[in-house]
Amino acid sequence: MLETLYQQVIEGIYHEAKDPPAFVEHKQTLSAAEQLGIYRDSVHGNLVIALGDIFPAVKEALGATFFDAMASRYVAQHPSRSPRLDDYGEHFPAFVASFEPLADYPYMRDVAQLDWHWHRLFHMSSPTVVAFDSLATLAPAQIESMQLGLIPALVWIDSAYPLEKIWRLSRFPEQAASTDSIDLNEGASTVVVYRFGLDTLVTSIDPLCRDLLIAIKKRKSFGTICEELGSKCGPEQINQALATLVQHHWISELIVDTESSGNA
Amino acid sequence: MTMSASVQNKCEGVGIGLRSAHYQDILGSLPDIPWFEVLIDNYMNEGGYPLYYLDQISQHYPLSFHSVGLSLGGMEALEQTSIARLKSLIDRYQPALVSDHLCWTAHAGLHSHDLLPMPYTAEAVRHVAARIDQVQNALGRRILVENVSSYMQYQCSDLSEAQFFAEVVESADCDILCDLNNIYVSASNHDFDAMRYLEQLPVSRIRELHLAGYEDQGRYLLDTHGEAVHAPVWALYEQALQRWGDTVPTLIEWDNNIPAFSVLLAERDKALQISRRISGDPVCA
Ligand SMILES: [Fe+2]
């Protein structure tokens, strides 16, 4: 009996039924459909609020009225499937990308993606980073074969637009000067969202740093990375890019082959 | 992380629901509040600022953990990951009380993130009591179960809500978190006598009271927890204390339209005045 009842209630909440719910008692003040409707409104309303909290830059960019109407359509198509409200909204960036009224705002999907990753990283553990003082003590063969690891709380987004600028303008409007304007044709960019201690940070990186992040993620040895990137730039630039990654505290692991040490 | 030695792991008097908007107020001035109630579902992630602040606050105040996500009345298997995480947080912070609601929140893989009412039947009593027992065993401690506000009554219910509540807690051998605002809201929506409800609860199991604000929607009351406590709920509080004495800890709950911390302190003061009036203690202005 409970099984059937719960099935009817949850269906009534997520999919509006044509017939009044027979399992609810009719009252003088509220019909059965109205009683169930209070729960439908409450569940939908809470999910719309949750989306606004998770996607603050999108909400700010589009305005609350437009955002809430769009979020409401999303909720109707995407019931929550996780016990954690923090998991809700995973498909929202794709929904934004295909949302017809936003056809003239092709960058909004990237803004949504940045908001989403920011939200996910906000709740992760503070990363531990590797001390790089040891690099100077390594033999050339060890540097060739060393493998690096990235902190888990790091994501990069490739965008055809100046994404960091667009996102900051919406996420922190109070920090923007009234004269700030963005040239949407400025060109493509790569934005990194990451944790530094408890803080969730956002920064843009150049194409070489991006290539380096990809290669490190694929667990390639530093020698292989230098060989592959060598066609695009010199060793100095690769070292410079690695220094950028280290300075941002993105490297969590340094695996060195002790066998190939020349001076151990 | 452990509580500093001077913090007693006990909830007494009138506590306040911990909300992120007030972290700075609390840590900045360490107000004289006997305990805070933590919406523990907001701290189930692995790290970040929420847990950092919880650590800080736990060093100065006793805590109670209040969960909304166990779906005690649900049909789906209890979420083992959530229970394990809750257990690890309990081990870490040693809260004085742990509670969830007499309701269900999910079914067939769909989650409502809302407190959905159960039907009041003998079958439902057996079902939810067995699940509360499972949770108590998994956590290795007693929990408190709270009555929810409701806007819908099922055809199949053949017990009153108060009978149902009383039978569940006896059968599961758990404690009661009695939300007086929720009783008032449901009593008004379903036309029953709130005081009569209180009389039916087993007094020895009542370990905590909740006070919160509702919104009058005209044809029904909506439990928003977004306003000050209303006069009829204060009146019910006074009657409850007259009946049960003033030793049960009380919580001021405010979840939406979060006001300045001082507003919650003023609500706390109102509760204290009533409590002192009942016990005959001099009322401090
Ligand atoms: Fe409550």
Short mmCIF file of all heavy atoms in Angstrom, two decimals, chain B residues 1-4 7 53-63 93:
data_model
loop_
_atom_site.label_atom_id
_atom_site.label_comp_id
_atom_site.label_asym_id
_atom_site.label_seq_id
_atom_site.Cartn_x
_atom_site.Cartn_y
_atom_site.Cartn_z
N MET B 1 39.40 16.78 15.13
CA MET B 1 38.91 17.99 15.80
C MET B 1 38.01 17.61 16.96
O MET B 1 37.09 16.83 16.81
CB MET B 1 38.20 18.78 14.70
CG MET B 1 37.18 19.84 15.06
SD MET B 1 37.84 21.10 16.06
CE MET B 1 36.70 20.92 17.44
N THR B 2 38.28 18.13 18.12
CA THR B 2 37.40 17.86 19.27
C THR B 2 36.98 19.18 19.89
O THR B 2 37.64 20.19 19.71
CB THR B 2 38.12 17.04 20.36
OG1 THR B 2 39.37 17.65 20.59
CG2 THR B 2 38.32 15.60 19.94
N MET B 3 35.88 19.11 20.62
CA MET B 3 35.41 20.30 21.30
C MET B 3 36.42 20.70 22.36
O MET B 3 37.06 19.83 22.94
CB MET B 3 34.10 19.94 22.00
CG MET B 3 32.97 20.75 21.52
SD MET B 3 31.38 20.24 22.15
CE MET B 3 31.60 18.92 23.26
N SER B 4 36.58 21.99 22.60
CA SER B 4 37.52 22.38 23.65
C SER B 4 36.97 21.87 24.98
O SER B 4 35.76 21.72 25.15
CB SER B 4 37.71 23.89 23.66
OG SER B 4 36.62 24.50 24.30
N VAL B 7 33.74 23.05 26.71
CA VAL B 7 32.41 22.96 26.11
C VAL B 7 31.74 21.65 26.54
O VAL B 7 32.23 20.58 26.26
CB VAL B 7 32.49 23.05 24.57
CG1 VAL B 7 31.10 22.89 23.97
CG2 VAL B 7 33.10 24.36 24.14
N TYR B 53 33.98 26.27 9.23
CA TYR B 53 33.24 27.07 10.22
C TYR B 53 32.61 26.18 11.30
O TYR B 53 32.54 26.56 12.46
CB TYR B 53 32.18 27.93 9.53
CG TYR B 53 32.78 29.16 8.90
CD1 TYR B 53 32.76 29.35 7.53
CD2 TYR B 53 33.40 30.13 9.69
CE1 TYR B 53 33.33 30.47 6.94
CE2 TYR B 53 33.98 31.25 9.12
CZ TYR B 53 33.94 31.42 7.75
OH TYR B 53 34.52 32.53 7.18
N LEU B 54 32.17 25.01 10.88
CA LEU B 54 31.58 24.10 11.87
C LEU B 54 32.64 23.73 12.92
O LEU B 54 32.35 23.67 14.12
CB LEU B 54 31.02 22.85 11.18
CG LEU B 54 30.20 21.91 12.04
CD1 LEU B 54 29.02 22.63 12.68
CD2 LEU B 54 29.71 20.72 11.23
N ASP B 55 33.86 23.50 12.45
CA ASP B 55 34.97 23.21 13.36
C ASP B 55 35.12 24.33 14.39
O ASP B 55 35.21 24.10 15.59
CB ASP B 55 36.29 23.14 12.57
CG ASP B 55 36.60 21.72 12.14
OD1 ASP B 55 35.89 20.80 12.54
OD2 ASP B 55 37.58 21.56 11.38
N GLN B 56 35.15 25.57 13.87
CA GLN B 56 35.35 26.73 14.74
C GLN B 56 34.23 26.84 15.78
O GLN B 56 34.49 27.02 16.96
CB GLN B 56 35.34 28.02 13.90
CG GLN B 56 36.29 28.07 12.76
CD GLN B 56 37.69 28.40 13.22
OE1 GLN B 56 37.88 29.36 13.96
NE2 GLN B 56 38.65 27.58 12.84
N ILE B 57 33.00 26.72 15.29
CA ILE B 57 31.86 26.93 16.19
C ILE B 57 31.76 25.80 17.21
O ILE B 57 31.44 26.04 18.38
CB ILE B 57 30.58 27.13 15.34
CG1 ILE B 57 30.65 28.52 14.70
CG2 ILE B 57 29.31 27.00 16.20
CD1 ILE B 57 29.71 28.76 13.56
N SER B 58 32.13 24.60 16.79
CA SER B 58 32.05 23.47 17.72
C SER B 58 33.05 23.61 18.87
O SER B 58 32.92 22.95 19.90
CB SER B 58 32.31 22.16 16.97
OG SER B 58 33.67 22.07 16.63
N GLN B 59 34.04 24.47 18.70
CA GLN B 59 35.00 24.66 19.79
C GLN B 59 34.44 25.53 20.91
O GLN B 59 34.99 25.58 21.99
CB GLN B 59 36.28 25.29 19.25
CG GLN B 59 37.03 24.30 18.37
CD GLN B 59 38.30 24.88 17.80
OE1 GLN B 59 39.02 25.59 18.48
NE2 GLN B 59 38.55 24.59 16.55
N HIS B 60 33.34 26.22 20.61
CA HIS B 60 32.78 27.14 21.60
C HIS B 60 31.39 26.75 22.09
O HIS B 60 30.95 27.25 23.13
CB HIS B 60 32.72 28.56 21.02
CG HIS B 60 34.05 29.08 20.59
ND1 HIS B 60 34.98 29.53 21.49
CD2 HIS B 60 34.62 29.17 19.37
CE1 HIS B 60 36.07 29.91 20.84
NE2 HIS B 60 35.87 29.70 19.55
N TYR B 61 30.68 25.95 21.31
CA TYR B 61 29.27 25.67 21.64
C TYR B 61 28.93 24.19 21.51
O TYR B 61 29.41 23.53 20.58
CB TYR B 61 28.35 26.44 20.68
CG TYR B 61 28.49 27.94 20.76
CD1 TYR B 61 29.29 28.63 19.87
CD2 TYR B 61 27.81 28.66 21.76
CE1 TYR B 61 29.42 30.01 19.94
CE2 TYR B 61 27.94 30.04 21.83
CZ TYR B 61 28.75 30.71 20.92
OH TYR B 61 28.88 32.07 21.00
N PRO B 62 28.04 23.69 22.37
CA PRO B 62 27.48 22.36 22.13
C PRO B 62 26.61 22.40 20.87
O PRO B 62 26.05 23.45 20.54
CB PRO B 62 26.61 22.10 23.36
CG PRO B 62 26.99 23.13 24.35
CD PRO B 62 27.52 24.30 23.59
N LEU B 63 26.51 21.27 20.20
CA LEU B 63 25.75 21.22 18.95
C LEU B 63 24.68 20.14 19.01
O LEU B 63 24.82 19.15 19.74
CB LEU B 63 26.68 20.87 17.78
CG LEU B 63 27.86 21.80 17.52
CD1 LEU B 63 28.73 21.22 16.39
CD2 LEU B 63 27.41 23.21 17.18
N TYR B 93 32.16 15.38 15.89
CA TYR B 93 31.67 16.55 16.63
C TYR B 93 30.90 16.22 17.90
O TYR B 93 30.59 17.12 18.68
CB TYR B 93 30.80 17.42 15.72
CG TYR B 93 31.58 18.04 14.58
CD1 TYR B 93 31.48 17.53 13.29
CD2 TYR B 93 32.43 19.11 14.81
CE1 TYR B 93 32.20 18.08 12.25
CE2 TYR B 93 33.16 19.68 13.77
CZ TYR B 93 33.05 19.15 12.49
OH TYR B 93 33.77 19.71 11.47
#
